Amino acid sequence: MPTHTRIRMFNTKDTYPNQTLNNDLCQAVRAGNTVYVRGQVGTDFEGRLVGLGDPRAQTEQAMKNVKQLLEEAGSDLSHIVKTTTYLIDPRYREPVYQEVGKWLKGVFPISTGLVVSALGQPQWLMEIDVIAVIPDDWQPEQV
């Protein structure tokens, strides 16, 4: 019996048709009561870029993805314990962190931020990955 669940499996040859890659990956892994979410960018799950040239809009889409993946794994944004944010330009720090802050108000995760020379595609301005937990007694909110 597997000790983890892979969520939204894919192959990079489909995700990055402009590159010669062939890696089997997934968007999130639930291992026990921990959820690891792959770096999310301003692209929706159908591969459409949101916010070309707009770091805030890309961050909003990335956080929508994070929220959805955590829910699919049985967690939610309130259970994020760590974020890692990658920016291709330090001038994007304020709009990106302001947008992340709206989604994580009151959560108080630990956070690491990096400025890198590039991300996996030239149109991506930011990327965020998260680690979250699923408390033993947690029940999803009823809508």
Side-chain angles (χ1 to χ4, degrees), residues 2 5 7 13 21 45 49 71 84-85 90 94 106 110 128 135:
T5 304
I7 298 163
K13 66 183 171 194
L21 301 174
F45 292 126
L49 178 68
E71 289 171 356
T84 305
T85 305
E94 282 189 29
I110 59 173
I128 186 167

Side-chain angles (χ1 to χ4, degrees), residues 10-17 19 21-25 38:
F10 66 96
N11 186 286
T12 53
K13 66 183 171 194
D14 302 320
T15 307
Y16 303 97
Q19 300 173 5
L21 301 174
N22 186 10
N23 300 81
D24 292 328
L25 301 174
R38 177 179 192 266

Side-chain angles (χ1 to χ4, degrees), residues 87-95 115:
L87 306 173
I88 64 161
D89 188 319
R91 293 172 293 186
Y92 297 156
R93 188 171 190 272
E94 282 189 29
V115 177

Side-chain angles (χ1 to χ4, degrees), residues 29-37 70-71 73-82 107 130-138:
V29 173
R30 177 179 174 170
N33 74 334
T34 305
V35 181
Y36 303 89
V37 176
L70 289 175
E71 289 171 356
S75 188
D76 67 26
L77 294 171
S78 72
H79 296 301
I80 291 176
V81 295
K82 181 169 188 344
V107 176
V130 307
I131 300 171
V133 296
I134 305 168
D136 293 334
D137 61 348
W138 185 75

